[in-house]
Amino acid sequence: MKNSNMNRYLKLFPAFMLICGLFSCDEQEVFQKEQYKNVFALVSGTDNVSDWIHDLRMSESEGYISASLGGTNPSTKDIRVTLVEDLSLIDDYNVVIFDVNTPRYIQPLASSKYTIDNYVFTIPAGEVKASIPVRIRPAGLSPDSSYFIALKVDSYSAYEVNPEKDYILYRVQVRNWWSATGGTIYNQRGTTQMSGLNPIQVFGTKRVFPLTPTRVRLLAGTELNDNLDENIYNWYSMVLSIGDDNRITIQPYKSLVVTQIDGDPDFPNRVVLEDDGFKTYKTFLLSYSYEGSDGITHVMKEELRLEYKEDPEDPRFLTDLN
């Protein structure tokens, strides 16, 4: 009986191996097709966001929407891709990232602030990249907010698009020479003094925000805004206007009561570059009085320092601040 079963097994074994071989060949073929097929995608980072910082010192500057083609074998066809704007992508992003925290929602960039001349680009046969320029006019954009241009693939002429990278959120942020969107953090030291009392040493950090090519905004004195509340900025922020000679004029941003105090040689209301022999720092030296959230007038002597690393693409050089 055992021999009979063994004979039957031996007769069936070649057929079994043939079936396994067919399945193996099919799987290998599918694997090779997946491995070698050409797929393109819009180039972006996490959550399909592409970050671009545009300089307020330039009335208009360019960024790019780019696409990249993957696949082991070179493409043999041009890929003509048409993009279309889709504001719903911004709504989806805000809900997923910020949920009901609507004050933090990212807004669509106003059409008056950018130009895209052509929403169609081509990845030529045999090549793997293509891009289209986006011209941004940053004047007047808020330093507290980012802005999106939302684009998705509307159609394409060949191959496949990666379904997870078929749209892009081009994020616009701004900067000037001293700061960037969201606030650049400076180290703070100095003194604060109330009428009739001795000065108190102050140490900490402070965010500096860009407003225009030559103006920045910051909270006065020791005022805090850990939650980045717009109302607190409106009540207790001041504006520093930097002249061609690097002298500073201090003014209220909105509701703050602030008075510039000139004549202190250690805090002369200037911005300078300091070199300590090891590092170079952008340094604001400020003297002023202001009415704080406690209702009391404070006299501030304040130094704000930020390590400076020269950017070869930056049009302003070290000698400009000496």
PDB file of all heavy atoms in Angstrom, residues 211-238:
ATOM      1  N   LEU A 211       9.486  92.402   8.285  1.00  0.00           N
ATOM      2  CA  LEU A 211       8.318  93.135   7.792  1.00  0.00           C
ATOM      3  C   LEU A 211       8.530  93.652   6.378  1.00  0.00           C
ATOM      4  O   LEU A 211       7.653  93.542   5.518  1.00  0.00           O
ATOM      5  CB  LEU A 211       7.982  94.301   8.723  1.00  0.00           C
ATOM      6  CG  LEU A 211       7.483  93.955  10.128  1.00  0.00           C
ATOM      7  CD1 LEU A 211       7.264  95.232  10.930  1.00  0.00           C
ATOM      8  CD2 LEU A 211       6.207  93.133  10.076  1.00  0.00           C
ATOM      9  N   THR A 212       9.684  94.269   6.158  1.00  0.00           N
ATOM     10  CA  THR A 212      10.046  94.836   4.856  1.00  0.00           C
ATOM     11  C   THR A 212      11.538  94.583   4.666  1.00  0.00           C
ATOM     12  O   THR A 212      12.187  93.990   5.541  1.00  0.00           O
ATOM     13  CB  THR A 212       9.766  96.354   4.802  1.00  0.00           C
ATOM     14  OG1 THR A 212      10.725  97.028   5.623  1.00  0.00           O
ATOM     15  CG2 THR A 212       8.352  96.681   5.280  1.00  0.00           C
ATOM     16  N   PRO A 213      12.141  95.056   3.579  1.00  0.00           N
ATOM     17  CA  PRO A 213      13.592  94.884   3.439  1.00  0.00           C
ATOM     18  C   PRO A 213      14.398  95.494   4.585  1.00  0.00           C
ATOM     19  O   PRO A 213      15.481  94.990   4.915  1.00  0.00           O
ATOM     20  CB  PRO A 213      13.896  95.592   2.112  1.00  0.00           C
ATOM     21  CG  PRO A 213      12.636  95.478   1.334  1.00  0.00           C
ATOM     22  CD  PRO A 213      11.539  95.608   2.341  1.00  0.00           C
ATOM     23  N   THR A 214      13.895  96.558   5.215  1.00  0.00           N
ATOM     24  CA  THR A 214      14.682  97.270   6.231  1.00  0.00           C
ATOM     25  C   THR A 214      13.959  97.409   7.575  1.00  0.00           C
ATOM     26  O   THR A 214      14.383  98.207   8.412  1.00  0.00           O
ATOM     27  CB  THR A 214      15.044  98.680   5.720  1.00  0.00           C
ATOM     28  OG1 THR A 214      13.826  99.402   5.443  1.00  0.00           O
ATOM     29  CG2 THR A 214      15.894  98.608   4.467  1.00  0.00           C
ATOM     30  N   ARG A 215      12.894  96.645   7.798  1.00  0.00           N
ATOM     31  CA  ARG A 215      12.151  96.754   9.049  1.00  0.00           C
ATOM     32  C   ARG A 215      11.884  95.370   9.628  1.00  0.00           C
ATOM     33  O   ARG A 215      11.568  94.424   8.897  1.00  0.00           O
ATOM     34  CB  ARG A 215      10.820  97.497   8.841  1.00  0.00           C
ATOM     35  CG  ARG A 215      11.009  98.923   8.323  1.00  0.00           C
ATOM     36  CD  ARG A 215       9.686  99.548   7.896  1.00  0.00           C
ATOM     37  NE  ARG A 215       8.876  99.934   9.042  1.00  0.00           N
ATOM     38  CZ  ARG A 215       7.591  99.611   9.199  1.00  0.00           C
ATOM     39  NH1 ARG A 215       6.974  98.859   8.292  1.00  0.00           N
ATOM     40  NH2 ARG A 215       6.926 100.019  10.250  1.00  0.00           N
ATOM     41  N   VAL A 216      12.019  95.273  10.977  1.00  0.00           N
ATOM     42  CA  VAL A 216      11.715  94.028  11.678  1.00  0.00           C
ATOM     43  C   VAL A 216      10.799  94.340  12.855  1.00  0.00           C
ATOM     44  O   VAL A 216      10.716  95.485  13.316  1.00  0.00           O
ATOM     45  CB  VAL A 216      12.999  93.323  12.181  1.00  0.00           C
ATOM     46  CG1 VAL A 216      13.882  92.908  11.007  1.00  0.00           C
ATOM     47  CG2 VAL A 216      13.771  94.203  13.172  1.00  0.00           C
ATOM     48  N   ARG A 217      10.136  93.300  13.341  1.00  0.00           N
ATOM     49  CA  ARG A 217       9.220  93.433  14.471  1.00  0.00           C
ATOM     50  C   ARG A 217       9.665  92.498  15.582  1.00  0.00           C
ATOM     51  O   ARG A 217      10.105  91.381  15.321  1.00  0.00           O
ATOM     52  CB  ARG A 217       7.803  93.050  14.031  1.00  0.00           C
ATOM     53  CG  ARG A 217       6.718  93.318  15.068  1.00  0.00           C
ATOM     54  CD  ARG A 217       5.455  92.553  14.735  1.00  0.00           C
ATOM     55  NE  ARG A 217       5.630  91.131  15.027  1.00  0.00           N
ATOM     56  CZ  ARG A 217       4.862  90.160  14.532  1.00  0.00           C
ATOM     57  NH1 ARG A 217       3.884  90.460  13.697  1.00  0.00           N
ATOM     58  NH2 ARG A 217       5.074  88.907  14.857  1.00  0.00           N
ATOM     59  N   LEU A 218       9.529  92.960  16.829  1.00  0.00           N
ATOM     60  CA  LEU A 218       9.850  92.131  17.980  1.00  0.00           C
ATOM     61  C   LEU A 218       9.075  92.624  19.188  1.00  0.00           C
ATOM     62  O   LEU A 218       8.601  93.768  19.222  1.00  0.00           O
ATOM     63  CB  LEU A 218      11.348  92.148  18.274  1.00  0.00           C
ATOM     64  CG  LEU A 218      11.983  93.484  18.675  1.00  0.00           C
ATOM     65  CD1 LEU A 218      13.285  93.229  19.452  1.00  0.00           C
ATOM     66  CD2 LEU A 218      12.292  94.325  17.451  1.00  0.00           C
ATOM     67  N   LEU A 219       8.903  91.758  20.178  1.00  0.00           N
ATOM     68  CA  LEU A 219       8.250  92.154  21.412  1.00  0.00           C
ATOM     69  C   LEU A 219       9.161  93.066  22.214  1.00  0.00           C
ATOM     70  O   LEU A 219      10.390  92.897  22.229  1.00  0.00           O
ATOM     71  CB  LEU A 219       7.897  90.918  22.243  1.00  0.00           C
ATOM     72  CG  LEU A 219       6.713  90.088  21.741  1.00  0.00           C
ATOM     73  CD1 LEU A 219       6.673  88.746  22.450  1.00  0.00           C
ATOM     74  CD2 LEU A 219       5.398  90.839  21.935  1.00  0.00           C
ATOM     75  N   ALA A 220       8.575  94.020  22.885  1.00  0.00           N
ATOM     76  CA  ALA A 220       9.345  94.932  23.718  1.00  0.00           C
ATOM     77  C   ALA A 220       9.775  94.242  25.008  1.00  0.00           C
ATOM     78  O   ALA A 220       9.062  93.388  25.551  1.00  0.00           O
ATOM     79  CB  ALA A 220       8.516  96.173  24.049  1.00  0.00           C
ATOM     80  N   GLY A 221      10.947  94.628  25.497  1.00  0.00           N
ATOM     81  CA  GLY A 221      11.395  94.239  26.822  1.00  0.00           C
ATOM     82  C   GLY A 221      11.354  92.762  27.107  1.00  0.00           C
ATOM     83  O   GLY A 221      11.902  91.940  26.371  1.00  0.00           O
ATOM     84  N   THR A 222      10.667  92.417  28.201  1.00  0.00           N
ATOM     85  CA  THR A 222      10.566  91.029  28.649  1.00  0.00           C
ATOM     86  C   THR A 222       9.173  90.449  28.390  1.00  0.00           C
ATOM     87  O   THR A 222       8.795  89.440  28.998  1.00  0.00           O
ATOM     88  CB  THR A 222      10.897  90.924  30.149  1.00  0.00           C
ATOM     89  OG1 THR A 222      10.009  91.788  30.889  1.00  0.00           O
ATOM     90  CG2 THR A 222      12.334  91.330  30.404  1.00  0.00           C
ATOM     91  N   GLU A 223       8.410  91.094  27.516  1.00  0.00           N
ATOM     92  CA  GLU A 223       7.081  90.577  27.196  1.00  0.00           C
ATOM     93  C   GLU A 223       7.207  89.203  26.511  1.00  0.00           C
ATOM     94  O   GLU A 223       8.122  88.975  25.712  1.00  0.00           O
ATOM     95  CB  GLU A 223       6.327  91.542  26.282  1.00  0.00           C
ATOM     96  CG  GLU A 223       6.121  92.925  26.866  1.00  0.00           C
ATOM     97  CD  GLU A 223       5.306  92.902  28.158  1.00  0.00           C
ATOM     98  OE1 GLU A 223       4.328  92.117  28.227  1.00  0.00           O
ATOM     99  OE2 GLU A 223       5.644  93.655  29.079  1.00  0.00           O
ATOM    100  N   LEU A 224       6.279  88.316  26.823  1.00  0.00           N
ATOM    101  CA  LEU A 224       6.317  86.951  26.308  1.00  0.00           C
ATOM    102  C   LEU A 224       5.093  86.665  25.445  1.00  0.00           C
ATOM    103  O   LEU A 224       4.022  87.225  25.666  1.00  0.00           O
ATOM    104  CB  LEU A 224       6.373  85.940  27.462  1.00  0.00           C
ATOM    105  CG  LEU A 224       7.586  86.026  28.395  1.00  0.00           C
ATOM    106  CD1 LEU A 224       7.432  85.030  29.541  1.00  0.00           C
ATOM    107  CD2 LEU A 224       8.878  85.772  27.637  1.00  0.00           C
ATOM    108  N   ASN A 225       5.286  85.769  24.488  1.00  0.00           N
ATOM    109  CA  ASN A 225       4.169  85.321  23.649  1.00  0.00           C
ATOM    110  C   ASN A 225       4.455  83.885  23.208  1.00  0.00           C
ATOM    111  O   ASN A 225       4.669  83.602  22.035  1.00  0.00           O
ATOM    112  CB  ASN A 225       4.003  86.232  22.431  1.00  0.00           C
ATOM    113  CG  ASN A 225       2.705  85.951  21.683  1.00  0.00           C
ATOM    114  OD1 ASN A 225       1.865  85.178  22.128  1.00  0.00           O
ATOM    115  ND2 ASN A 225       2.544  86.573  20.528  1.00  0.00           N
ATOM    116  N   ASP A 226       4.459  82.978  24.185  1.00  0.00           N
ATOM    117  CA  ASP A 226       4.812  81.587  23.907  1.00  0.00           C
ATOM    118  C   ASP A 226       3.860  80.927  22.919  1.00  0.00           C
ATOM    119  O   ASP A 226       4.247  80.009  22.200  1.00  0.00           O
ATOM    120  CB  ASP A 226       4.855  80.770  25.207  1.00  0.00           C
ATOM    121  CG  ASP A 226       5.960  81.234  26.139  1.00  0.00           C
ATOM    122  OD1 ASP A 226       6.950  81.801  25.616  1.00  0.00           O
ATOM    123  OD2 ASP A 226       5.840  81.048  27.360  1.00  0.00           O
ATOM    124  N   ASN A 227       2.611  81.376  22.902  1.00  0.00           N
ATOM    125  CA  ASN A 227       1.614  80.787  22.000  1.00  0.00           C
ATOM    126  C   ASN A 227       1.515  81.518  20.661  1.00  0.00           C
ATOM    127  O   ASN A 227       0.632  81.213  19.853  1.00  0.00           O
ATOM    128  CB  ASN A 227       0.235  80.778  22.680  1.00  0.00           C
ATOM    129  CG  ASN A 227       0.210  79.879  23.898  1.00  0.00           C
ATOM    130  OD1 ASN A 227       0.831  78.817  23.912  1.00  0.00           O
ATOM    131  ND2 ASN A 227      -0.497  80.301  24.937  1.00  0.00           N
ATOM    132  N   LEU A 228       2.406  82.482  20.439  1.00  0.00           N
ATOM    133  CA  LEU A 228       2.418  83.259  19.189  1.00  0.00           C
ATOM    134  C   LEU A 228       1.051  83.871  18.903  1.00  0.00           C
ATOM    135  O   LEU A 228       0.556  83.862  17.778  1.00  0.00           O
ATOM    136  CB  LEU A 228       2.871  82.376  18.017  1.00  0.00           C
ATOM    137  CG  LEU A 228       4.199  81.635  18.200  1.00  0.00           C
ATOM    138  CD1 LEU A 228       4.547  80.858  16.940  1.00  0.00           C
ATOM    139  CD2 LEU A 228       5.318  82.588  18.570  1.00  0.00           C
ATOM    140  N   ASP A 229       0.454  84.437  19.947  1.00  0.00           N
ATOM    141  CA  ASP A 229      -0.870  85.051  19.858  1.00  0.00           C
ATOM    142  C   ASP A 229      -0.774  86.379  19.109  1.00  0.00           C
ATOM    143  O   ASP A 229      -0.003  87.273  19.478  1.00  0.00           O
ATOM    144  CB  ASP A 229      -1.409  85.272  21.276  1.00  0.00           C
ATOM    145  CG  ASP A 229      -2.843  85.754  21.298  1.00  0.00           C
ATOM    146  OD1 ASP A 229      -3.192  86.642  20.492  1.00  0.00           O
ATOM    147  OD2 ASP A 229      -3.632  85.263  22.129  1.00  0.00           O
ATOM    148  N   GLU A 230      -1.582  86.545  18.072  1.00  0.00           N
ATOM    149  CA  GLU A 230      -1.541  87.752  17.261  1.00  0.00           C
ATOM    150  C   GLU A 230      -1.884  88.986  18.082  1.00  0.00           C
ATOM    151  O   GLU A 230      -1.314  90.068  17.879  1.00  0.00           O
ATOM    152  CB  GLU A 230      -2.503  87.619  16.073  1.00  0.00           C
ATOM    153  CG  GLU A 230      -2.484  88.825  15.148  1.00  0.00           C
ATOM    154  CD  GLU A 230      -3.438  88.676  13.972  1.00  0.00           C
ATOM    155  OE1 GLU A 230      -4.096  87.611  13.867  1.00  0.00           O
ATOM    156  OE2 GLU A 230      -3.526  89.627  13.178  1.00  0.00           O
ATOM    157  N   ASN A 231      -2.818  88.866  19.021  1.00  0.00           N
ATOM    158  CA  ASN A 231      -3.210  90.020  19.834  1.00  0.00           C
ATOM    159  C   ASN A 231      -2.050  90.533  20.681  1.00  0.00           C
ATOM    160  O   ASN A 231      -1.872  91.751  20.836  1.00  0.00           O
ATOM    161  CB  ASN A 231      -4.392  89.652  20.737  1.00  0.00           C
ATOM    162  CG  ASN A 231      -5.679  89.484  19.952  1.00  0.00           C
ATOM    163  OD1 ASN A 231      -5.926  90.202  18.984  1.00  0.00           O
ATOM    164  ND2 ASN A 231      -6.492  88.523  20.346  1.00  0.00           N
ATOM    165  N   ILE A 232      -1.262  89.613  21.231  1.00  0.00           N
ATOM    166  CA  ILE A 232      -0.117  90.034  22.045  1.00  0.00           C
ATOM    167  C   ILE A 232       0.912  90.750  21.177  1.00  0.00           C
ATOM    168  O   ILE A 232       1.489  91.765  21.578  1.00  0.00           O
ATOM    169  CB  ILE A 232       0.491  88.819  22.772  1.00  0.00           C
ATOM    170  CG1 ILE A 232      -0.509  88.294  23.816  1.00  0.00           C
ATOM    171  CG2 ILE A 232       1.811  89.183  23.449  1.00  0.00           C
ATOM    172  CD1 ILE A 232      -0.054  87.072  24.567  1.00  0.00           C
ATOM    173  N   TYR A 233       1.118  90.240  19.975  1.00  0.00           N
ATOM    174  CA  TYR A 233       2.016  90.949  19.059  1.00  0.00           C
ATOM    175  C   TYR A 233       1.497  92.356  18.772  1.00  0.00           C
ATOM    176  O   TYR A 233       2.261  93.322  18.728  1.00  0.00           O
ATOM    177  CB  TYR A 233       2.157  90.176  17.748  1.00  0.00           C
ATOM    178  CG  TYR A 233       3.056  88.963  17.846  1.00  0.00           C
ATOM    179  CD1 TYR A 233       2.693  87.759  17.269  1.00  0.00           C
ATOM    180  CD2 TYR A 233       4.280  89.024  18.511  1.00  0.00           C
ATOM    181  CE1 TYR A 233       3.515  86.645  17.357  1.00  0.00           C
ATOM    182  CE2 TYR A 233       5.107  87.916  18.614  1.00  0.00           C
ATOM    183  CZ  TYR A 233       4.718  86.733  18.024  1.00  0.00           C
ATOM    184  OH  TYR A 233       5.531  85.630  18.114  1.00  0.00           O
ATOM    185  N   ASN A 234       0.200  92.473  18.582  1.00  0.00           N
ATOM    186  CA  ASN A 234      -0.378  93.786  18.293  1.00  0.00           C
ATOM    187  C   ASN A 234      -0.216  94.760  19.469  1.00  0.00           C
ATOM    188  O   ASN A 234       0.030  95.945  19.268  1.00  0.00           O
ATOM    189  CB  ASN A 234      -1.854  93.645  17.937  1.00  0.00           C
ATOM    190  CG  ASN A 234      -2.081  92.946  16.608  1.00  0.00           C
ATOM    191  OD1 ASN A 234      -1.182  92.879  15.770  1.00  0.00           O
ATOM    192  ND2 ASN A 234      -3.276  92.421  16.407  1.00  0.00           N
ATOM    193  N   TRP A 235      -0.338  94.252  20.687  1.00  0.00           N
ATOM    194  CA  TRP A 235      -0.294  95.118  21.860  1.00  0.00           C
ATOM    195  C   TRP A 235       1.127  95.481  22.280  1.00  0.00           C
ATOM    196  O   TRP A 235       1.373  96.608  22.711  1.00  0.00           O
ATOM    197  CB  TRP A 235      -0.997  94.441  23.043  1.00  0.00           C
ATOM    198  CG  TRP A 235      -2.470  94.247  22.874  1.00  0.00           C
ATOM    199  CD1 TRP A 235      -3.317  95.031  22.155  1.00  0.00           C
ATOM    200  CD2 TRP A 235      -3.251  93.185  23.417  1.00  0.00           C
ATOM    201  NE1 TRP A 235      -4.594  94.523  22.219  1.00  0.00           N
ATOM    202  CE2 TRP A 235      -4.601  93.388  22.991  1.00  0.00           C
ATOM    203  CE3 TRP A 235      -2.981  92.085  24.220  1.00  0.00           C
ATOM    204  CZ2 TRP A 235      -5.634  92.534  23.327  1.00  0.00           C
ATOM    205  CZ3 TRP A 235      -4.011  91.223  24.570  1.00  0.00           C
ATOM    206  CH2 TRP A 235      -5.328  91.446  24.130  1.00  0.00           C
ATOM    207  N   TYR A 236       2.052  94.544  22.174  1.00  0.00           N
ATOM    208  CA  TYR A 236       3.351  94.730  22.823  1.00  0.00           C
ATOM    209  C   TYR A 236       4.553  94.623  21.890  1.00  0.00           C
ATOM    210  O   TYR A 236       5.678  94.471  22.347  1.00  0.00           O
ATOM    211  CB  TYR A 236       3.501  93.741  23.988  1.00  0.00           C
ATOM    212  CG  TYR A 236       2.420  93.908  25.019  1.00  0.00           C
ATOM    213  CD1 TYR A 236       1.475  92.912  25.233  1.00  0.00           C
ATOM    214  CD2 TYR A 236       2.313  95.092  25.752  1.00  0.00           C
ATOM    215  CE1 TYR A 236       0.449  93.082  26.151  1.00  0.00           C
ATOM    216  CE2 TYR A 236       1.289  95.272  26.674  1.00  0.00           C
ATOM    217  CZ  TYR A 236       0.362  94.264  26.872  1.00  0.00           C
ATOM    218  OH  TYR A 236      -0.643  94.446  27.778  1.00  0.00           O
ATOM    219  N   SER A 237       4.343  94.729  20.596  1.00  0.00           N
ATOM    220  CA  SER A 237       5.467  94.673  19.662  1.00  0.00           C
ATOM    221  C   SER A 237       5.908  96.063  19.247  1.00  0.00           C
ATOM    222  O   SER A 237       5.111  97.005  19.176  1.00  0.00           O
ATOM    223  CB  SER A 237       5.081  93.891  18.401  1.00  0.00           C
ATOM    224  OG  SER A 237       5.003  92.509  18.666  1.00  0.00           O
ATOM    225  N   MET A 238       7.203  96.152  18.926  1.00  0.00           N
ATOM    226  CA  MET A 238       7.755  97.383  18.369  1.00  0.00           C
ATOM    227  C   MET A 238       8.432  97.053  17.036  1.00  0.00           C
ATOM    228  O   MET A 238       8.715  95.899  16.727  1.00  0.00           O
ATOM    229  CB  MET A 238       8.743  98.022  19.339  1.00  0.00           C
ATOM    230  CG  MET A 238       9.909  97.149  19.730  1.00  0.00           C
ATOM    231  SD  MET A 238      10.871  97.939  21.053  1.00  0.00           S
ATOM    232  CE  MET A 238      12.287  96.836  21.140  1.00  0.00           C
TER     233      MET A 238
END
